[in-house]
Amino acid sequence: MREVIMGYQGEMSLKGLNRNQFESALIKILRYRLKTVGRFRIYCAQSTFYMEPEEEGIDMDLAFERVSKVFGLAAVSRSVVCEKDFDTICRTAEEYLGESLRGIRTFKVEARRADKTYPMTSPELMRELGAYLLDKHNYLRVDVHQPQFKVVVEIRDHGAYIHGPKTPGEGGLPVGTSGRALNMLSGGIDSPVAAYRMAKRGLALDHIHFASPPYTSERAKLKVKALAQLASVYTGSCNLFVVPYTRPQEYIRDNAPAVLFTVLMRRSMMRIASAIAKKQGCEALITGESLAQVASQTVKAIQCTDAAQDLPVLRPLVGTDKTEIIETARHINTFETSILPYEDCCTIFTPPHPKIRPELAEILEAEAGMPGLAALEAEAAEQAERIRIRIDDAVDFE
């Protein structure tokens, strides 16, 4: 049997004259994701991506896991391809899926005939193949509404493809087709989810993290690196910039009103992030902020924060609650790492009662009283450590 992986387009199929660009981008991503698994022939036809192994001994389980996490595919399936001959289709279906039909009670056959020259209609193929499988497994019965298992046959131009139920893919658009952005990655639950959400919309990502030793430890930095590594399974390889933020943070603490500290710090971080983003060719910043979740995430505070620099700030979680965010964090396997109790520089020096509705005028007045802040920010941006994160690297954190 010749097994292949099939990936089905979702939103890309609506892209009209630009569709070829999206398809070409996704083929490049699939090649990269499968490069360390083995040699595959990858191409697109009839709104479907085909990944055909070109050598023996390839771990198809690993290959399937890799491509199922690629944005741009609405669904994926492991299929076997055979000649478009009914008797061959029957024998191949039994050989490939017969074991899956054991231990269940109900099934159905679905047929799709993209090749209209095939002599049997889809209903005829479903009926006749279903009868053949019932003869082989006489304990089964057909349930067309809620079957325990589906046998799917797709008659396409270059063969008959037989598989079980499709596995839902991640959907969205191929990473990189919407530009590039810099994600502000803390050690919490929200920011990896924000990265996932924006990568799903086609953004290629780098990350930036602010560390404040000795208030934050080396283990806290390694935790953030692990989060970037876990997210890269979905978002792709990236850079993580770790900014030494101790001096700017202490300067703000010592020279500004305590009630404004959080917003002033966020504005400072935004300026540093913007400087690094522009050097990297990033066109936007991403944060994991959710409206009114904490004092720095009120509408007035966000207004003040955004005014600190001129790049667009994308907040994909702004209308989500914590339960929804946690659900996604579990899905992308970052939740358990995010909740490990290591320091976050955003929480040190936080005043007990921060102002939740700051006015931009008072923020600008406070910054005018800190003439040395700009130099400290420039120094921090210049001293940022760049760490390369690759999707194939192991997560080095326990």
Side-chain angles (χ1 to χ4, degrees), residues 45-323:
Q46 297 174 301
S47 300
T48 303
F49 293 87
Y50 297 85
M51 290 144 271
E52 300 179 352
E54 294 187 311
E55 57 189 6
E56 299 293 329
I58 285 180
D59 186 343
M60 292 296 283
D61 291 335
L62 176 59
F64 188 78
E65 180 187 357
R66 290 274 180 89
V67 302
S68 67
K69 293 179 172 63
V70 172
F71 292 123
L73 298 178
V76 289
S77 65
R78 284 177 66 170
S79 309
V80 64
V81 59
C82 67
E83 295 179 6
K84 292 184 285 186
D85 169 75
F86 178 70
D87 291 337
T88 303
I89 290 172
C90 289
R91 290 194 303 270
T92 304
E94 169 59 23
E95 185 179 354
Y96 188 56
L97 298 175
E99 191 61 36
S100 298
L101 294 172
R102 295 178 178 87
I104 63 170
R105 290 297 178 188
T106 63
F107 83 112
K108 69 177 289 189
V109 175
E110 289 184 355
R112 300 179 181 89
R113 192 173 58 115
D115 178 7
K116 301 305 182 184
T117 66
Y118 185 72
M120 298 177 71
T121 65
S122 295
E124 288 172 342
L125 186 54
M126 288 188 284
R127 183 176 62 249
E128 296 301 325
L129 178 56
Y132 176 87
L133 294 173
L134 282 171
D135 184 60
K136 296 290 184 181
H137 306 272
N138 55 19
Y139 53 86
L140 287 175
R141 66 181 178 85
V142 174
D143 184 344
V144 297
H145 300 294
Q146 292 183 316
Q148 291 176 278
F149 190 79
K150 292 180 183 179
V151 175
V152 184
V153 181
E154 301 188 47
I155 306 297
R156 295 186 173 244
D157 291 344
H158 41 284
Y161 292 83
I162 301 164
H163 56 85
K166 293 178 183 177
T167 300
E170 291 294 330
L173 299 171
V175 170
T177 55
S178 298
R180 190 168 200 89
L182 184 64
N183 179 53
M184 301 183 74
L185 185 65
S186 71
I189 298 170
D190 302 342
S191 52
V193 175
Y196 166 84
R197 290 277 179 88
M198 295 315 304
K200 186 172 183 174
R201 298 309 308 153
L203 277 177
L205 303 177
D206 286 326
H207 301 286
I208 186 170
H209 174 69
F210 293 84
S212 292
Y215 307 106
T216 60
S217 66
E218 183 67 17
R219 292 287 291 170
K221 178 177 129 179
L222 292 176
K223 171 187 171 182
V224 170
K225 181 182 175 184
L227 288 173
Q229 187 68 59
L230 290 167
S232 73
V233 174
Y234 297 91
T235 65
S237 299
C238 61
N239 297 304
L240 168 64
F241 294 92
V242 180
V243 176
Y245 192 61
T246 307
R247 293 185 67 198
Q249 195 167 24
E250 289 178 334
Y251 184 82
I252 296 170
R253 177 200 63 186
D254 296 339
N255 292 277
V259 293
L260 300 179
F261 171 81
T262 302
V263 173
L264 290 167
M265 179 186 68
R266 293 291 295 172
R267 282 171 57 88
S268 172
M269 289 178 171
M270 284 287 188
R271 286 189 289 267
I272 294 171
S274 180
I276 292 175
K278 290 174 181 177
K279 285 184 179 180
Q280 287 299 112
C282 295
E283 302 159 280
L285 302 178
I286 301 168
T287 80
E289 292 167 302
S290 175
L291 186 63
Q293 184 172 238
V294 294
S296 64
Q297 296 172 16
T298 63
V299 170
K300 295 294 287 186
I302 288 173
Q303 179 188 29
C304 292
T305 302
D306 283 0
Q309 55 81 48
D310 58 2
L311 285 179
V313 182
L314 308 178
R315 294 179 171 88
L317 309 185
V318 70
T320 56
D321 62 31
K322 205 67 176 181
T323 302

